[in-house]
Amino acid sequence: MPGAGTRPAITRSEPPARLLDVTRLASRAGRGLTGVDRVERAYLQHLLACPGPLFGLARTVTGFALLDRDGMAALLDRVDGRQDWGAADLVARMARRLTPMRQRADADLRRLAAARSSRIGLKWLLRRRLPERTAYINVGHSNLTPRVIRGLRALPGATIAVMIHDTIPLDFPDFQRAGTVERFRALLALVGRHADLILANSQQTERDTRRWLTAMGLKARYQTALLGVDMPAPDPDALPDGLGIARPYFVCLGTIEPRKNHALLLDAWEEMARTMPPDALPLLVVAGSRGWRNEAVFDRLDRMANDPKSGIREVAGLSDRAVAALLSGAAGLLQPSFAEGYGLPCAEAAALQIPVICSDLPVYREMLGDIPVYLSPSDSYSWIKNIKQLTQAHGNTPRGRSQATDLPTWTSHFKVVLRVT
């Protein structure tokens, strides 16, 4: 691969063709979108509204699928549920490692493709089908491999921009699944060596990425652009039956993993259940899928969620509209994380003018300013005090302490990003 000194300049006088990697987004078929997935979806939606040549690249079980603008629009329809995924074909069904929904998505990618190639044929596919100076954008990290980079470098004038969302796997290795740290270190090194531009979702992420790449002896070009906040309309009918949230409740939103620090909230609810009258105890809705290395928290959730006196509810697999409905009725969002790359749930709650209590992390202050109440992720006394205050105020005071106009927007994000990619 060419070294940094041979990379083409990424600044141009007119918009180039753009090639968005949509491998991760297609892989989420049948599952709810995570924060990173939603960023990739926002890029897909925005680029479809922009003039100029647009293509999508996705890895499939047989190699690669190249989508044109029509194929990208059809993909978005499927991701958003306006169109069902098609039936899995024989090739997809033979990939037994894929879930049935992913088999359907894989088959659809090949049906929607304007062109396809085997794994070894990618560079010829790109050279044959894409104009020179195409700008490749990868925000989800799926499909970011040496093979893809070699294929892009075979296209004259092509540039590579990769978004880094955080360096948490390297900063907090004890919170990670087995193998995650090594894989992320290798990916970051690959980006540092070969990307023409690193997109950072915050100044904090840029600082962290610079620190790690410098330690690896690598230099890179950076552009920071805060992610936008775009909540869908709440849909109360999308909430599951039997959630039982008639009295004031709080929400903790996100994957149940160690760095999210759910244990602090479970401690707080156990203390409040012990000291408060049962009819005064607010509810805590833990909304998110179960993650990894968190067996003690899972055991407590199993016990507390089955005890009607605990005030704990657990729910997973909510759609975006259901999440918006859940947040809209909450007395507050509680996010006691030890670390966050961006923390979209806090921004989304603020956009709905729902009170936010979160850990005092630099990225939250950069993104949200003085909107939340900031607390130490280890000070359970202060969390209990503020939770009680918000419970008493719920329904009696104006919602939230901010206006949605104070928050970052996708318009401002893309105004920055599309100027440099």
Side-chain angles (χ1 to χ4, degrees):
M1 298 180 193
T6 63
R7 300 177 195 172
I10 203 165
T11 301
R12 302 174 175 87
S13 60
E14 60 184 31
R18 291 193 170 91
L19 174 65
L20 178 67
D21 202 297
V22 292
T23 302
R24 179 178 178 127
L25 199 55
S27 76
R28 298 298 298 180
R31 298 183 287 174
L33 300 185
T34 67
V36 174
D37 306 327
R38 291 166 71 179
V39 174
E40 192 167 304
R41 183 208 167 276
Y43 268 70
L44 173 55
Q45 181 180 48
H46 190 89
L47 291 175
L48 279 168
C50 293
L54 175 63
F55 302 90
L57 182 67
R59 187 176 65 246
T60 70
V61 295
T62 59
F64 296 94
L66 184 68
L67 281 62
D68 60 13
R69 181 176 288 273
D70 288 342
M72 295 283 270
L75 174 62
L76 182 61
D77 284 342
R78 286 156 173 75
V79 170
D80 287 352
R82 292 184 293 272
Q83 175 71 41
D84 289 338
W85 294 98
D89 59 13
L90 178 61
V91 173
R93 292 197 301 271
M94 291 177 64
R96 299 186 182 277
R97 70 183 185 280
L98 301 183
T99 64
M101 282 302 299
R102 286 196 63 186
Q103 290 175 350
R104 293 172 63 182
D106 189 87
D108 258 3
L109 285 174
R110 285 179 278 108
R111 282 190 285 259
L112 295 173
R116 291 156 36 189
S117 77
S118 65
R119 289 182 176 83
I120 63 174
L122 178 62
K123 64 181 179 180
W124 291 284
L125 171 69
L126 299 181
R127 293 195 66 156
R128 187 174 71 251
R129 291 285 184 159
L130 297 184
E132 296 182 1
R133 301 169 51 250
T134 293
Y136 171 77
I137 303 173
N138 188 312
V139 299
H141 298 176
S142 296
N143 204 33
L144 190 60
T145 65
R147 184 188 299 279
V148 170
I149 290 174
R150 286 195 298 270
L152 291 164
R153 290 301 181 211
L155 180 64
T159 57
I160 299 171
V162 179
M163 179 173 287
I164 299 297
H165 297 267
D166 60 68
T167 58
I168 289 174
L170 301 181
D171 296 324
F172 297 91
D174 291 343
F175 293 159
Q176 306 305 309
R177 288 172 286 193
T180 299
V181 176
E182 293 76 14
R183 286 194 298 272
F184 183 80
R185 189 188 303 275
L187 181 140
L188 190 61
L190 185 74
V191 172
R193 291 190 182 99
H194 301 294
D196 300 290
L197 181 69
I198 292 178
L199 302 171
N201 60 8
S202 67
Q203 292 290 345
Q204 183 62 44
T205 295
E206 179 179 333
R207 287 192 292 269
D208 291 338
T209 305
R210 283 182 183 273
R211 170 168 49 84
W212 281 106
L213 288 183
T214 298
M216 297 176 188
L218 298 171
K219 294 182 179 180
R221 296 178 61 243
Y222 298 85
Q223 179 63 62
T224 292
L226 293 174
L227 303 179
V229 181
D230 184 18
M231 283 299 289
D235 181 7
D237 292 337
L239 289 170
D241 295 332
L243 195 53
I245 50 175
R247 65 181 189 260
Y249 68 91
F250 293 83
V251 177
C252 181
L253 183 60
T255 303
I256 306 172
E257 56 170 303
R259 70 178 173 88
K260 297 290 188 178
N261 194 24
H262 290 80
L264 178 136
L265 296 180
L266 299 185
D267 289 344
W269 251 259
E270 284 188 335
E271 175 64 18
M272 289 191 295
R274 187 179 65 82
T275 59
M276 295 176 66
D279 59 351
L281 178 68
L283 300 177
L284 172 65
V285 180
V286 178
S289 301
R290 293 192 176 191
W292 51 89
R293 299 186 65 175
N294 220 4
E295 283 71 20
V297 167
F298 300 156
D299 289 344
R300 293 178 71 185
L301 281 171
D302 289 338
R303 172 172 53 82
M304 298 175 76
N306 289 321
D307 179 0
K309 297 180 181 179
S310 71
I312 301 295
R313 305 287 187 272
E314 183 183 0
V315 62
L318 296 181
S319 67
D320 287 350
R321 289 183 178 275
V323 168
L326 184 66
L327 289 175
S328 294
L333 177 75
L334 310 176
Q335 299 291 118
S337 304
F338 291 119
E340 285 290 351
Y342 196 71
L344 274 175
C346 289
E348 291 167 346
L352 293 169
Q353 299 192 30
I354 303 304
V356 175
I357 306 176
C358 62
S359 298
D360 193 356
L361 301 177
V363 68
Y364 282 148
R365 289 193 176 271
E366 178 183 344
M367 176 176 54
L368 298 174
D370 61 358
I371 292 173
V373 173
Y374 295 105
L375 300 176
S376 166
S378 59
D379 184 1
S380 60
Y381 172 81
S382 293
W383 284 83
I384 291 172
K385 176 183 175 181
N386 280 273
I387 290 166
K388 288 181 176 179
Q389 290 174 348
L390 285 181
T391 302
Q392 294 169 358
H394 182 57
N396 299 320
T397 58
R399 303 304 301 272
R401 308 197 314 174
S402 71
Q403 298 296 320
T405 53
D406 298 332
L407 299 169
T409 66
W410 282 117
T411 299
S412 60
H413 176 89
F414 287 112
K415 184 178 181 180
V416 171
V417 169
L418 298 186
R419 189 177 64 241
V420 294
T421 58

